[in-house]
Amino acid sequence: MKKKKVLLAPLDPVHDIGLKMIKRGLEQKGHDTLLMPPDYSQEEIIKSIIDNDADIVLVSRTLGYGVAEILGKFIDLAEAAEIRDRIKIGIGGMAIRPELAAELGFDAGFGPGTTVAEAVAFVEGRKYIPEETKGKKNKKDITEGYNYLFHNKKIEKLLDSIVDGILDYVNNKTTTAIQRAEIRRRILESDNESEIQRLRVDYSKLCDDVIKSFYVSGKYREKTRPLTSSEVSALKRYVDEVNSRMNPLRLQHNDKNPVVFIQYGTGCPFMDIAHIKSCEAWGSDGAVHFDPSWGARTEGFLEGYITHEEDGSVITYENLKSIKMSLAPNTLWQVRAHRGLNTPETVLLAGKIGADLTKVNIAYGSLGGGTDPERLTVDAVAAIKYAAEFNMPFDVVTNEELCGVPAYKAFAGMLIVSKLGLRLGAKPILQPLFCYSPEVMVSGQMEDNYVDFNAAKIYCLRNIVNAPIWCGAPIGFLTQTEDRVQSSLMTALHASLASSLGVDGISIASSDEAFSGGPITVPARIDTLRATQASFRFFGQSSIAPTENAQNWANEIEEGIEKVLESVVKNGNFIEALYQGILGSREDGAYPGRAGKNSVIKQFC
Amino acid sequence: MSLIIGIAGTAKNTGKTTTTSSILDELYNKKILIGLTSIGYDGEETDNITGLPKPRLFVKKNTLLATAEKCLKAGSADYDILETTDIMTPLGRICIVRVHKEGLAVVAGPNKGSQLKYVENKMINELNCKVVLVDGALNRIAPMIETDGVIIATGASRNVNIDILVKETKALHELLNLPEVSKEELQYFTDISKIALIPKKIHEKTSFLNYGSLIGNDIVKEIIDKIKCAETVFIPALISEFALKKLNDGLGTLWANKTLIIKDPIKLITGGNPETLINEIKKIKFNGGNVKTLKNLPLLAITVNPFYPKYRFDIDSYEPGYIDREELVDKMRASVDVPIIDIKHEGSLRLLKSILNLVQP
């Protein structure tokens, strides 16, 4: 490569930072550079080009009305000075795009996001090929490297005893949800149309009336309708078009920053996909599917591409498939199944379609999610078996904390379900809430700061077991206000605290989620993604230092967990413990759910 | 006979693209084979700076275009690619294409004079175009020297003060119509690329400077130091307004009986304000000197546009604004002796007639 003489000229009163960076890059590559001081006249720059016999000129300039004329004139001056044919001239600046560079007569234009390598390639006359590995995002397995070894052997022993009891209890029991999942599997795996029709009839018999009427007479639930064929084909076109110009950002500044999930469930699969694609573009690593609350309390699923005018997106094979097909290859996709009357079939569909993760928590689903504890326990065992079969890690979220259940009780439930998952061959992910929970509002652990008690939770879990942790859901919940700047900052600070504590994943909300009063907006999603990215950049690998309260509270939580687990063992039955409030009482704000009560079917061999 | 017409704007939104578009329409009516290119990129839907919509060029079947690769996919016209040249631009290589399906085109042609010359030769000599239109880019006039003449689009967007606008245009016309040198002089000077101080007796003791352009105090000083023996000062490249002023200040009456020869008026126009430059030329003449050019660039016509993007501080945005159209046209016609046309108001027929007289006398 022939050494080039490069003149760097800030055609600007002050701005030359970009040129300084490029100058360094060029010198490292062995080129001669001359950086002119700012505020030289165009004629002086032309004379410098002649005096220094420069091969390349790089001009930087911020743009405003009238500035484009100045830049065009600079090229005219070079041409009139009869040097244009022997030099290459590039322009860089925040408002520069290739079209504008072409219009102004430059050989290249460098806009926002230009790398030094790109400018060096221009100088050396090479086509710029971005480093693929640099921008490439890989799908991360957040369970990788965890062996689920229990450091607290006492807790492990208690959990094993409880899990034995659960497995013993569910033995020879089934539910219509489990039966529907089995039928659904046969429908999906059959290519015999008459058999499929027969199976659909069998399926419908196990559903509530509102679902049954769909299978019998094609009637949709109120506020629910199928997408038209033109909507479905428009969706495909939209996804293809968006994918063709996607160049996703990366949120993480280093490998220690956690993966970042967003949550969606607008009710419309098309809108969901638009939200997911926007978030992917702005750097999200994963997306969590939220189903409607009525769906969790209704026996059976509909079929087809379905949209509806309520929160949460209807789970059907087709809806989930269309969402899966739209995702970037690196996007982690989770379909929640942690509550409700369709837990086994949800996990089956997620597994069949290729979801990466699912979500199951008996304790939350039955204490805060409205499902009968016995029913959900029987369903959850079947669901976790599907999760294991399809190699889908599942998180165990402690959302009952939002009802007012203290962390130590919620964590006891989380650890029981996690241990159950391990016993069934699945990979659980601990998902403690990372927020301003009712417990701390009452007890005052966050009066001074939001750091210590959140850190205490992570310290505690790390002290008990070597398992992946994904903070949710979303982080910073109840610390956000209707002010989008404040909400974004709170999200970003919680994200950085989670990163500092070494967690593997976080779920974030949009900056308008808590106070949207309706559908959330894409710009508000971008707010928190950008804030999180900036925060990761700000802290890098430095740490946030909690006070000594964090360790003290961690110890208290761990002791509390032991006591709860001892009570469950002493009580002799996990399900009874749920009914009796050992894992979250009515006084705490947790109420055993009623959906599916007395629906467990005993099987006799 | 063929003709290469450049269309240059004095500022954004002076109606340059409207002028090009209008001439295209009239040429299509006359069934004349057209070659179309631009200096750089143009034809975008919205103005890159103000965000206001801009017209795009509608091209009919068989029109020949020189435009960058990336622009071929934009717009609604379809093309047969005749040649992919080696001319690189920020929007890809320049292609010479023939329209096979009419529609809107995005034209981003070569932006250097030498490259423009290549494209023009191709269109005229190999592809038999009768008229080649060169659509100018923002404030880019230098490559226009490779045309047979220019149409200048000016108007309120350049300056809302009509008197100032007319004065400037008049000066521009005068600069483009400087007296040309004799054939012998042309032959002698054509290959000289440095500033030359030529004594009375031609070919003897010519003093050459290291620069082709008059753009710095040191160059001015060197000319002043060596002027005594010279009868002719030849400047083959750029002349900046500032340096010319310095030279005049330094030489004063020393210009008597001496001639300043420039390569072409573009070398002056790019270097400064037309009115100031004409004043400097007048100073030379006042001091007994003379100014000539090797080659002129004929000003074929001026199109005027009363529109300008008016900035509103209250909404931080632009909205359409207008100056008095009749006053603008009348004052311009009284001062500048070339066809003055408000294309939007009058259409381009009169403009085209005067141009066609050059092609089909």
Short mmCIF file of all heavy atoms in Angstrom, two decimals, chain A residues 43 47 50-51 65 68-69 72-73 75-77 79-82 84-85 97-100 102-108, chain B residues 12 40-41 44 48-50 90 111-114 137-142 211 213 218 237-238 240 263 267 270 309 318:
data_model
loop_
_atom_site.label_atom_id
_atom_site.label_comp_id
_atom_site.label_asym_id
_atom_site.label_seq_id
_atom_site.Cartn_x
_atom_site.Cartn_y
_atom_site.Cartn_z
N GLU A 43 -9.99 29.05 0.65
CA GLU A 43 -8.82 29.30 -0.21
C GLU A 43 -7.54 28.86 0.48
O GLU A 43 -6.63 28.32 -0.16
CB GLU A 43 -8.73 30.79 -0.59
CG GLU A 43 -9.73 31.26 -1.62
CD GLU A 43 -11.09 31.57 -1.02
OE1 GLU A 43 -11.27 31.39 0.21
OE2 GLU A 43 -11.99 31.98 -1.79
N LYS A 47 -4.90 26.14 -0.84
CA LYS A 47 -3.46 26.43 -0.99
C LYS A 47 -2.63 25.39 -0.23
O LYS A 47 -1.58 24.94 -0.70
CB LYS A 47 -3.14 27.84 -0.49
CG LYS A 47 -1.72 28.26 -0.80
CD LYS A 47 -1.53 29.76 -0.72
CE LYS A 47 -0.10 30.16 -1.10
NZ LYS A 47 0.91 29.65 -0.18
N ILE A 50 -2.24 22.31 -2.21
CA ILE A 50 -1.22 22.47 -3.26
C ILE A 50 0.18 22.44 -2.63
O ILE A 50 1.06 21.71 -3.07
CB ILE A 50 -1.44 23.80 -4.04
CG1 ILE A 50 -2.80 23.74 -4.76
CG2 ILE A 50 -0.32 24.05 -5.02
CD1 ILE A 50 -3.29 25.09 -5.29
N ASP A 51 0.36 23.23 -1.56
CA ASP A 51 1.68 23.33 -0.93
C ASP A 51 2.17 21.98 -0.41
O ASP A 51 3.36 21.68 -0.44
CB ASP A 51 1.65 24.33 0.24
CG ASP A 51 1.54 25.77 -0.26
OD1 ASP A 51 1.85 25.99 -1.45
OD2 ASP A 51 1.12 26.65 0.52
N TYR A 65 -28.44 25.70 7.52
CA TYR A 65 -28.87 26.30 6.26
C TYR A 65 -27.76 27.19 5.73
O TYR A 65 -27.20 28.01 6.45
CB TYR A 65 -30.16 27.11 6.46
CG TYR A 65 -30.84 27.39 5.15
CD1 TYR A 65 -31.52 26.38 4.49
CD2 TYR A 65 -30.74 28.63 4.56
CE1 TYR A 65 -32.12 26.61 3.26
CE2 TYR A 65 -31.33 28.88 3.34
CZ TYR A 65 -32.03 27.87 2.69
OH TYR A 65 -32.61 28.09 1.47
N ALA A 68 -24.36 23.97 3.11
CA ALA A 68 -24.22 23.10 1.94
C ALA A 68 -23.65 23.89 0.76
O ALA A 68 -22.85 23.37 -0.01
CB ALA A 68 -25.56 22.49 1.60
N GLU A 69 -24.05 25.16 0.64
CA GLU A 69 -23.52 25.99 -0.43
C GLU A 69 -22.00 26.17 -0.26
O GLU A 69 -21.25 26.13 -1.22
CB GLU A 69 -24.21 27.37 -0.43
CG GLU A 69 -25.54 27.40 -1.15
CD GLU A 69 -26.73 27.01 -0.27
OE1 GLU A 69 -26.49 26.44 0.82
OE2 GLU A 69 -27.87 27.25 -0.67
N GLY A 72 -20.32 22.95 -1.35
CA GLY A 72 -20.32 22.84 -2.81
C GLY A 72 -19.27 23.76 -3.42
O GLY A 72 -18.56 23.40 -4.36
N LYS A 73 -19.16 24.94 -2.82
CA LYS A 73 -18.19 25.92 -3.33
C LYS A 73 -16.75 25.40 -3.14
O LYS A 73 -15.89 25.63 -3.98
CB LYS A 73 -18.36 27.26 -2.59
CG LYS A 73 -17.51 28.36 -3.19
CD LYS A 73 -17.55 29.63 -2.39
CE LYS A 73 -16.44 30.56 -2.85
NZ LYS A 73 -16.25 31.69 -1.99
N ILE A 75 -15.69 22.39 -3.36
CA ILE A 75 -15.37 21.48 -4.46
C ILE A 75 -15.14 22.26 -5.75
O ILE A 75 -14.23 21.96 -6.53
CB ILE A 75 -16.52 20.45 -4.65
CG1 ILE A 75 -16.66 19.59 -3.38
CG2 ILE A 75 -16.29 19.58 -5.87
CD1 ILE A 75 -15.47 18.71 -3.08
N ASP A 76 -15.95 23.29 -5.97
CA ASP A 76 -15.75 24.15 -7.14
C ASP A 76 -14.37 24.81 -7.12
O ASP A 76 -13.71 24.91 -8.14
CB ASP A 76 -16.83 25.24 -7.16
CG ASP A 76 -17.91 24.94 -8.18
OD1 ASP A 76 -17.93 23.80 -8.71
OD2 ASP A 76 -18.75 25.83 -8.44
N LEU A 77 -13.97 25.25 -5.93
CA LEU A 77 -12.65 25.89 -5.81
C LEU A 77 -11.54 24.89 -6.18
O LEU A 77 -10.59 25.25 -6.87
CB LEU A 77 -12.44 26.40 -4.38
CG LEU A 77 -13.24 27.65 -3.98
CD1 LEU A 77 -13.08 27.92 -2.49
CD2 LEU A 77 -12.78 28.87 -4.77
N GLU A 79 -11.83 22.39 -8.12
CA GLU A 79 -11.88 22.16 -9.57
C GLU A 79 -11.28 23.35 -10.32
O GLU A 79 -10.48 23.17 -11.24
CB GLU A 79 -13.34 21.93 -9.99
CG GLU A 79 -13.48 21.62 -11.46
CD GLU A 79 -14.27 20.36 -11.75
OE1 GLU A 79 -14.85 19.77 -10.82
OE2 GLU A 79 -14.28 19.95 -12.93
N ALA A 80 -11.64 24.56 -9.90
CA ALA A 80 -11.10 25.75 -10.56
C ALA A 80 -9.59 25.85 -10.36
O ALA A 80 -8.87 26.36 -11.22
CB ALA A 80 -11.80 27.00 -10.03
N ALA A 81 -9.12 25.36 -9.23
CA ALA A 81 -7.67 25.37 -8.96
C ALA A 81 -6.96 24.25 -9.71
O ALA A 81 -5.75 24.07 -9.56
CB ALA A 81 -7.42 25.26 -7.46
N GLU A 82 -7.74 23.49 -10.48
CA GLU A 82 -7.21 22.41 -11.32
C GLU A 82 -6.52 21.32 -10.52
O GLU A 82 -5.51 20.75 -10.95
CB GLU A 82 -6.28 22.99 -12.40
CG GLU A 82 -6.92 24.13 -13.16
CD GLU A 82 -7.06 23.88 -14.65
OE1 GLU A 82 -6.08 23.43 -15.24
OE2 GLU A 82 -8.16 24.13 -15.19
N ARG A 84 -8.70 19.08 -8.73
CA ARG A 84 -9.77 18.14 -8.40
C ARG A 84 -9.51 16.74 -8.97
O ARG A 84 -9.85 15.73 -8.33
CB ARG A 84 -11.12 18.68 -8.92
CG ARG A 84 -12.33 17.84 -8.55
CD ARG A 84 -12.64 17.98 -7.08
NE ARG A 84 -13.69 17.07 -6.66
CZ ARG A 84 -13.49 15.88 -6.14
NH1 ARG A 84 -12.25 15.43 -6.01
NH2 ARG A 84 -14.49 15.11 -5.75
N ASP A 85 -8.93 16.70 -10.17
CA ASP A 85 -8.72 15.40 -10.81
C ASP A 85 -7.65 14.55 -10.14
O ASP A 85 -7.61 13.35 -10.32
CB ASP A 85 -8.37 15.58 -12.30
CG ASP A 85 -9.61 15.86 -13.12
OD1 ASP A 85 -10.72 15.50 -12.65
OD2 ASP A 85 -9.48 16.46 -14.20
N ARG A 97 -24.86 12.55 4.56
CA ARG A 97 -25.27 11.25 4.05
C ARG A 97 -24.66 11.10 2.66
O ARG A 97 -24.28 12.11 2.05
CB ARG A 97 -26.80 11.18 3.95
CG ARG A 97 -27.50 11.32 5.27
CD ARG A 97 -29.01 11.18 5.11
NE ARG A 97 -29.59 12.14 4.17
CZ ARG A 97 -29.82 13.41 4.46
NH1 ARG A 97 -29.50 13.90 5.64
NH2 ARG A 97 -30.36 14.21 3.57
N PRO A 98 -24.56 9.87 2.14
CA PRO A 98 -23.95 9.69 0.81
C PRO A 98 -24.63 10.55 -0.26
O PRO A 98 -23.96 11.12 -1.11
CB PRO A 98 -24.16 8.21 0.52
CG PRO A 98 -24.26 7.57 1.85
CD PRO A 98 -24.91 8.58 2.75
N GLU A 99 -25.97 10.69 -0.19
CA GLU A 99 -26.70 11.47 -1.18
C GLU A 99 -26.24 12.93 -1.16
O GLU A 99 -26.07 13.56 -2.20
CB GLU A 99 -28.21 11.43 -0.93
CG GLU A 99 -28.87 10.10 -1.20
CD GLU A 99 -28.67 9.10 -0.09
OE1 GLU A 99 -28.07 9.46 0.95
OE2 GLU A 99 -29.09 7.94 -0.27
N LEU A 100 -26.04 13.45 0.05
CA LEU A 100 -25.64 14.85 0.17
C LEU A 100 -24.20 15.01 -0.31
O LEU A 100 -23.88 15.98 -1.00
CB LEU A 100 -25.78 15.31 1.62
CG LEU A 100 -25.52 16.80 1.84
CD1 LEU A 100 -26.55 17.65 1.10
CD2 LEU A 100 -25.54 17.16 3.31
N ALA A 102 -22.77 13.31 -2.56
CA ALA A 102 -22.82 13.25 -4.03
C ALA A 102 -23.32 14.57 -4.59
O ALA A 102 -22.80 15.09 -5.57
CB ALA A 102 -23.73 12.11 -4.47
N GLU A 103 -24.32 15.13 -3.93
CA GLU A 103 -24.89 16.39 -4.41
C GLU A 103 -23.86 17.52 -4.34
O GLU A 103 -23.81 18.39 -5.19
CB GLU A 103 -26.14 16.74 -3.58
CG GLU A 103 -26.79 18.03 -4.05
CD GLU A 103 -28.19 18.23 -3.50
OE1 GLU A 103 -28.66 17.36 -2.77
OE2 GLU A 103 -28.80 19.26 -3.81
N LEU A 104 -23.03 17.47 -3.31
CA LEU A 104 -22.06 18.54 -3.12
C LEU A 104 -20.77 18.30 -3.92
O LEU A 104 -19.91 19.15 -3.94
CB LEU A 104 -21.73 18.68 -1.64
CG LEU A 104 -22.92 19.03 -0.73
CD1 LEU A 104 -22.52 18.97 0.73
CD2 LEU A 104 -23.47 20.40 -1.08
N GLY A 105 -20.66 17.13 -4.53
CA GLY A 105 -19.51 16.86 -5.39
C GLY A 105 -18.33 16.20 -4.70
O GLY A 105 -17.23 16.17 -5.24
N PHE A 106 -18.55 15.67 -3.50
CA PHE A 106 -17.46 14.99 -2.79
C PHE A 106 -17.36 13.54 -3.29
O PHE A 106 -18.30 13.00 -3.87
CB PHE A 106 -17.71 15.01 -1.28
CG PHE A 106 -17.49 16.37 -0.67
CD1 PHE A 106 -18.47 17.35 -0.74
CD2 PHE A 106 -16.28 16.67 -0.05
CE1 PHE A 106 -18.26 18.61 -0.21
CE2 PHE A 106 -16.06 17.93 0.50
CZ PHE A 106 -17.05 18.90 0.41
N ASP A 107 -16.22 12.93 -3.01
CA ASP A 107 -16.04 11.55 -3.44
C ASP A 107 -16.63 10.57 -2.44
O ASP A 107 -16.88 9.42 -2.77
CB ASP A 107 -14.54 11.24 -3.62
CG ASP A 107 -13.96 12.07 -4.76
OD1 ASP A 107 -14.56 12.05 -5.85
OD2 ASP A 107 -12.94 12.75 -4.55
N ALA A 108 -16.82 11.02 -1.21
CA ALA A 108 -17.42 10.15 -0.20
C ALA A 108 -18.01 11.01 0.90
O ALA A 108 -17.57 12.14 1.11
CB ALA A 108 -16.37 9.20 0.39
N LYS B 12 -30.08 26.94 -3.48
CA LYS B 12 -31.15 25.93 -3.43
C LYS B 12 -32.49 26.61 -3.69
O LYS B 12 -32.67 27.77 -3.37
CB LYS B 12 -31.17 25.28 -2.05
CG LYS B 12 -30.22 24.12 -1.95
CD LYS B 12 -30.68 23.10 -0.94
CE LYS B 12 -29.89 21.82 -1.11
NZ LYS B 12 -30.57 20.81 -1.86
N GLY B 40 -23.29 15.61 -10.00
CA GLY B 40 -23.63 15.03 -8.70
C GLY B 40 -25.09 14.62 -8.64
O GLY B 40 -25.72 14.35 -9.67
N TYR B 41 -25.61 14.64 -7.46
CA TYR B 41 -26.93 14.08 -7.18
C TYR B 41 -28.00 15.16 -7.22
O TYR B 41 -27.82 16.24 -6.72
CB TYR B 41 -26.90 13.46 -5.79
CG TYR B 41 -28.21 12.91 -5.30
CD1 TYR B 41 -28.81 11.84 -5.94
CD2 TYR B 41 -28.83 13.44 -4.17
CE1 TYR B 41 -30.00 11.31 -5.47
CE2 TYR B 41 -30.01 12.91 -3.69
CZ TYR B 41 -30.59 11.85 -4.34
OH TYR B 41 -31.76 11.33 -3.88
N GLU B 44 -33.89 14.53 -5.80
CA GLU B 44 -34.42 13.95 -4.57
C GLU B 44 -35.81 14.49 -4.27
O GLU B 44 -36.15 15.59 -4.69
CB GLU B 44 -33.49 14.17 -3.38
CG GLU B 44 -33.48 15.58 -2.85
CD GLU B 44 -32.41 16.43 -3.45
OE1 GLU B 44 -32.24 16.39 -4.67
OE2 GLU B 44 -31.77 17.15 -2.70
N ASN B 48 -32.55 18.36 0.68
CA ASN B 48 -31.72 17.78 1.74
C ASN B 48 -31.59 18.68 2.96
O ASN B 48 -31.33 18.22 4.06
CB ASN B 48 -30.32 17.50 1.20
CG ASN B 48 -30.19 16.07 0.74
OD1 ASN B 48 -30.76 15.18 1.36
ND2 ASN B 48 -29.47 15.86 -0.33
N ILE B 49 -31.73 19.98 2.75
CA ILE B 49 -31.50 20.90 3.86
C ILE B 49 -32.81 21.31 4.52
O ILE B 49 -32.96 21.25 5.73
CB ILE B 49 -30.78 22.18 3.37
CG1 ILE B 49 -29.54 21.82 2.55
CG2 ILE B 49 -30.42 23.08 4.54
CD1 ILE B 49 -28.42 21.19 3.30
N THR B 50 -33.79 21.75 3.72
CA THR B 50 -34.99 22.33 4.32
C THR B 50 -36.11 21.33 4.52
O THR B 50 -37.05 21.59 5.26
CB THR B 50 -35.55 23.46 3.44
OG1 THR B 50 -35.98 22.88 2.19
CG2 THR B 50 -34.50 24.51 3.16
N PRO B 90 -20.19 8.72 -4.58
CA PRO B 90 -20.67 8.17 -3.29
C PRO B 90 -21.91 7.28 -3.48
O PRO B 90 -22.26 6.54 -2.58
CB PRO B 90 -21.01 9.41 -2.47
CG PRO B 90 -20.17 10.49 -3.03
CD PRO B 90 -20.09 10.20 -4.50
N ASN B 111 -19.35 14.26 -11.05
CA ASN B 111 -19.27 15.61 -10.49
C ASN B 111 -17.97 16.34 -10.77
O ASN B 111 -17.74 17.41 -10.23
CB ASN B 111 -19.60 15.58 -8.99
CG ASN B 111 -18.64 14.75 -8.20
OD1 ASN B 111 -17.44 14.78 -8.45
ND2 ASN B 111 -19.15 13.98 -7.24
N LYS B 112 -17.14 15.75 -11.59
CA LYS B 112 -15.92 16.46 -11.99
C LYS B 112 -16.02 16.82 -13.47
O LYS B 112 -16.59 16.06 -14.26
CB LYS B 112 -14.70 15.56 -11.80
CG LYS B 112 -14.42 15.18 -10.38
CD LYS B 112 -13.22 14.24 -10.32
CE LYS B 112 -13.09 13.64 -8.92
NZ LYS B 112 -12.12 12.56 -8.87
N GLY B 113 -15.39 17.96 -13.84
CA GLY B 113 -15.44 18.42 -15.21
C GLY B 113 -14.94 17.38 -16.20
O GLY B 113 -15.56 17.12 -17.23
N SER B 114 -13.80 16.74 -15.87
CA SER B 114 -13.21 15.78 -16.79
C SER B 114 -14.14 14.58 -17.02
O SER B 114 -14.25 14.05 -18.12
CB SER B 114 -11.86 15.31 -16.26
OG SER B 114 -12.03 14.80 -14.94
N ALA B 137 -25.62 20.96 -9.66
CA ALA B 137 -25.86 20.65 -8.25
C ALA B 137 -25.65 21.93 -7.45
O ALA B 137 -25.23 22.96 -7.99
CB ALA B 137 -24.93 19.56 -7.77
N LEU B 138 -25.92 21.80 -6.18
CA LEU B 138 -25.89 22.97 -5.30
C LEU B 138 -24.59 23.76 -5.41
O LEU B 138 -23.52 23.26 -5.10
CB LEU B 138 -26.07 22.47 -3.87
CG LEU B 138 -26.15 23.54 -2.81
CD1 LEU B 138 -27.38 24.40 -3.01
CD2 LEU B 138 -26.18 22.87 -1.45
N ASN B 139 -24.72 24.99 -5.89
CA ASN B 139 -23.57 25.91 -5.94
C ASN B 139 -22.37 25.33 -6.70
O ASN B 139 -21.25 25.73 -6.46
CB ASN B 139 -23.15 26.29 -4.51
CG ASN B 139 -22.64 27.71 -4.47
OD1 ASN B 139 -23.15 28.58 -5.17
ND2 ASN B 139 -21.61 27.96 -3.69
N ARG B 140 -22.63 24.34 -7.55
CA ARG B 140 -21.53 23.77 -8.32
C ARG B 140 -21.58 24.34 -9.72
O ARG B 140 -22.49 24.03 -10.48
CB ARG B 140 -21.68 22.24 -8.39
CG ARG B 140 -21.52 21.49 -7.09
CD ARG B 140 -20.12 21.59 -6.52
NE ARG B 140 -19.07 21.49 -7.50
CZ ARG B 140 -18.67 20.36 -8.07
NH1 ARG B 140 -19.21 19.22 -7.74
NH2 ARG B 140 -17.70 20.36 -8.95
N ILE B 141 -20.63 25.15 -10.04
CA ILE B 141 -20.63 25.72 -11.39
C ILE B 141 -19.38 25.30 -12.15
O ILE B 141 -19.37 25.28 -13.37
CB ILE B 141 -20.81 27.26 -11.36
CG1 ILE B 141 -21.14 27.76 -12.76
CG2 ILE B 141 -19.61 27.96 -10.74
CD1 ILE B 141 -21.94 29.01 -12.83
N ALA B 142 -18.32 24.92 -11.44
CA ALA B 142 -17.04 24.66 -12.09
C ALA B 142 -17.12 23.67 -13.26
O ALA B 142 -16.61 23.96 -14.35
CB ALA B 142 -16.01 24.20 -11.07
N TYR B 211 2.78 28.26 -8.73
CA TYR B 211 1.34 28.04 -8.57
C TYR B 211 0.58 28.32 -9.86
O TYR B 211 0.97 29.20 -10.64
CB TYR B 211 0.78 28.95 -7.47
CG TYR B 211 1.32 28.65 -6.09
CD1 TYR B 211 2.48 29.26 -5.63
CD2 TYR B 211 0.67 27.75 -5.25
CE1 TYR B 211 2.98 28.98 -4.36
CE2 TYR B 211 1.15 27.47 -3.98
CZ TYR B 211 2.31 28.10 -3.54
OH TYR B 211 2.78 27.83 -2.30
N SER B 213 -2.76 28.88 -9.37
CA SER B 213 -3.86 29.69 -8.84
C SER B 213 -3.34 30.94 -8.12
O SER B 213 -2.25 30.91 -7.53
CB SER B 213 -4.67 28.86 -7.82
OG SER B 213 -5.25 27.75 -8.45
N ASP B 218 1.59 35.38 -0.64
CA ASP B 218 2.94 35.16 -1.15
C ASP B 218 2.94 35.14 -2.68
O ASP B 218 3.87 35.63 -3.33
CB ASP B 218 3.54 33.87 -0.57
CG ASP B 218 2.63 32.67 -0.71
OD1 ASP B 218 1.41 32.86 -0.93
OD2 ASP B 218 3.11 31.53 -0.60
N ALA B 237 -5.46 29.04 -13.39
CA ALA B 237 -6.38 28.33 -12.49
C ALA B 237 -7.16 29.35 -11.64
O ALA B 237 -7.41 30.47 -12.06
CB ALA B 237 -5.62 27.32 -11.63
N LEU B 238 -7.51 28.94 -10.45
CA LEU B 238 -8.38 29.71 -9.57
C LEU B 238 -7.84 31.11 -9.23
O LEU B 238 -6.66 31.27 -8.95
CB LEU B 238 -8.59 28.91 -8.27
CG LEU B 238 -9.31 29.56 -7.12
CD1 LEU B 238 -10.78 29.81 -7.48
CD2 LEU B 238 -9.23 28.67 -5.88
N SER B 240 -8.82 33.95 -6.48
CA SER B 240 -9.73 34.30 -5.38
C SER B 240 -9.92 35.81 -5.35
O SER B 240 -9.02 36.59 -5.71
CB SER B 240 -9.19 33.81 -4.05
OG SER B 240 -8.22 34.68 -3.53
N LYS B 263 -8.00 31.74 -17.67
CA LYS B 263 -8.30 30.57 -18.52
C LYS B 263 -9.77 30.57 -18.95
O LYS B 263 -10.09 30.33 -20.10
CB LYS B 263 -7.97 29.29 -17.77
CG LYS B 263 -7.99 28.07 -18.68
CD LYS B 263 -7.46 26.85 -17.94
CE LYS B 263 -7.46 25.63 -18.82
NZ LYS B 263 -7.03 24.44 -18.08
N LYS B 267 -12.98 30.33 -13.40
CA LYS B 267 -11.84 30.46 -12.48
C LYS B 267 -12.00 31.70 -11.59
O LYS B 267 -11.44 31.77 -10.51
CB LYS B 267 -10.52 30.57 -13.27
CG LYS B 267 -10.27 29.41 -14.22
CD LYS B 267 -9.93 28.15 -13.44
CE LYS B 267 -9.53 27.01 -14.33
NZ LYS B 267 -10.66 26.23 -14.84
N THR B 270 -15.89 31.15 -9.28
CA THR B 270 -15.83 30.28 -8.10
C THR B 270 -15.10 30.95 -6.94
O THR B 270 -15.32 30.61 -5.79
CB THR B 270 -15.12 28.94 -8.41
OG1 THR B 270 -13.90 29.24 -9.04
CG2 THR B 270 -15.95 28.06 -9.30
N PRO B 309 -37.80 29.45 0.50
CA PRO B 309 -38.26 28.81 1.74
C PRO B 309 -38.12 29.78 2.90
O PRO B 309 -37.02 30.19 3.26
CB PRO B 309 -37.32 27.61 1.91
CG PRO B 309 -36.13 27.94 1.11
CD PRO B 309 -36.48 28.99 0.11
N TYR B 318 -39.74 25.57 7.84
CA TYR B 318 -39.82 26.44 6.67
C TYR B 318 -41.23 26.42 6.08
O TYR B 318 -41.94 25.42 6.19
CB TYR B 318 -38.84 25.97 5.60
CG TYR B 318 -37.40 26.11 5.99
CD1 TYR B 318 -36.75 25.09 6.69
CD2 TYR B 318 -36.67 27.26 5.68
CE1 TYR B 318 -35.41 25.20 7.05
CE2 TYR B 318 -35.34 27.38 6.04
CZ TYR B 318 -34.72 26.36 6.73
OH TYR B 318 -33.41 26.48 7.09
#
